[in-house]
Amino acid sequence: MPMKNRAFLVLFALSITMLSGCAALQSLLSGAFKKPTMKFKTARLANASLSDATVDLVYEVDNPNSLGLKLASVDYAFFVEGKQLVAGKPKNGLALKSNGKSELVFPANVKFADIAPVVTTFLNKDAAAFKAQGTLGIQTPLGVLKFPLEKEGTFPVPKIPQVQFQSPRITNVTLSGATVQFPLSITNRNSFPLPVAGITGAIKVAGANVGTLSTGNLGMLEGSGTKQVTLPLTINFASAASAAMALRSGGNAQVSMTGNLTSDAQSVPLNLSQLVNFTK
């Protein structure tokens, strides 16, 4: 047999063998590989303030196979109150562990001014509606498997902290005036931490303007936590006659504050009016 024909037959035989082997291997993989499953887990807030928040949509992928898998593609869109926002994606090539569950976190920064023309109106809502849509591709030995990312739901809107006066204490009284320590109690009504850059407001005692209080930066309020701050104020009786009477005699008097509470870059109006007991 000529050498050329013999080489052709050898190559032909090898090709048949390789094709049979590939088919057998593919059949083996098909029988051994178990398709991963994916489910929506939760929507949670991160880095929240009264101006914006990061909304994390968390999915869980269960890979029952002994080999790790990787993301191949992500096509993802995120909407809040019907408006599409810029959404982040898990890192390219993110590995999914074998024989177990892996979390996939899709973050989106939500600026409340982009959702509502008046931010305080948005902040008075209990929850905001979101919608996620798209597909996720996972690389497997059988090729890329596609999973839908369809989900609608709500996430909690950050609540404005509650601010209250505690009983003020009169530390010094003279014929011309008095120094009063005004304790403020600031309570975070959210389950997550919230930054408070400060509280500033004009103070009235018994209807008379007595000055301005400012807390400075209060830092981060822990979730459901309360921070106490005491602010001194010197009151001139000559310019606040009705306050002078209340402070000289002690007892109860109406105290009000009109100002702002600032969280991150957002200021919201603050209006307090309480009947408090002045102590000496």
Side-chain angles (χ1 to χ4, degrees):
M1 179 181 295
M3 183 65 66
K4 185 175 180 180
N5 291 342
R6 185 179 302 170
F8 174 77
L9 289 174
V10 170
L11 289 174
F12 180 75
L14 286 174
S15 299
I16 294 296
T17 302
M18 289 178 64
L19 287 173
S20 300
C22 288
L25 179 61
Q26 186 74 11
S27 177
L28 179 64
L29 288 174
S30 298
F33 183 77
K34 298 177 182 178
K35 183 178 179 181
T37 57
M38 187 175 73
K39 67 178 181 179
F40 176 79
K41 191 172 181 181
T42 187
R44 65 192 181 201
L45 290 190
N47 305 318
S49 72
L50 297 184
S51 63
D52 66 341
T54 298
V55 181
D56 288 338
L57 261 61
V58 184
Y59 288 81
E60 185 177 78
V61 178
D62 187 2
N63 176 18
N65 300 284
S66 59
L67 71 160
L69 304 174
K70 291 184 178 181
L71 296 188
S73 62
V74 179
D75 179 18
Y76 179 65
F78 185 72
F79 303 80
V80 173
E81 299 291 313
K83 297 184 179 180
Q84 185 171 3
L85 304 175
V86 176
K89 301 174 182 179
K91 293 181 180 180
N92 290 334
L94 179 66
L96 304 175
K97 63 184 180 182
S98 60
N99 294 319
K101 299 175 181 179
S102 302
E103 278 193 353
L104 296 180
V105 180
F106 295 82
N109 182 254
V110 181
K111 297 186 183 301
F112 303 142
D114 295 338
I115 305 302
V118 180
V119 172
T120 50
T121 301
F122 179 80
L123 294 174
N124 284 324
K125 295 166 64 73
D126 289 329
F130 73 82
K131 178 182 179 181
Q133 61 185 35
T135 57
L136 178 75
I138 296 179
Q139 185 68 54
T140 76
L142 304 182
V144 176
L145 298 181
K146 297 285 188 177
F147 294 85
L149 291 172
E150 305 292 333
K151 183 63 182 178
E152 294 186 33
T154 62
F155 63 85
V157 173
K159 296 178 176 62
I160 300 170
Q162 182 184 54
V163 182
Q164 289 183 309
F165 285 109
Q166 303 300 310
S167 295
R169 188 167 68 92
I170 305 169
T171 57
N172 185 40
V173 179
T174 65
L175 292 176
S176 60
T179 299
V180 180
Q181 301 283 344
F182 286 92
L184 284 178
S185 175
I186 304 99
T187 300
N188 184 1
R189 299 187 296 148
N190 304 285
S191 61
F192 45 84
L194 193 78
V196 178
I199 296 172
T200 302
I203 302 297
K204 289 184 178 182
V205 174
N209 293 313
V210 296
T212 300
L213 294 179
S214 183
T215 64
N217 194 333
L218 295 175
M220 192 71 70
L221 286 181
E222 293 301 320
S224 304
T226 298
K227 184 169 287 191
Q228 304 278 351
V229 58
T230 299
L231 305 173
L233 182 64
T234 299
I235 298 172
N236 188 334
F237 289 161
S239 59
S242 59
M245 186 178 300
L247 295 176
R248 282 176 178 150
S249 61
N252 294 333
Q254 196 76 22
V255 176
S256 63
M257 172 188 266
T258 303
N260 293 284
L261 182 150
T262 302
S263 173
D264 200 5
Q266 181 64 45
S267 289
V268 296
L270 184 66
N271 294 288
L272 302 178
S273 184
Q274 289 178 239
L275 184 65
V276 296
N277 182 53
F278 285 82
T279 61
K280 292 185 179 180

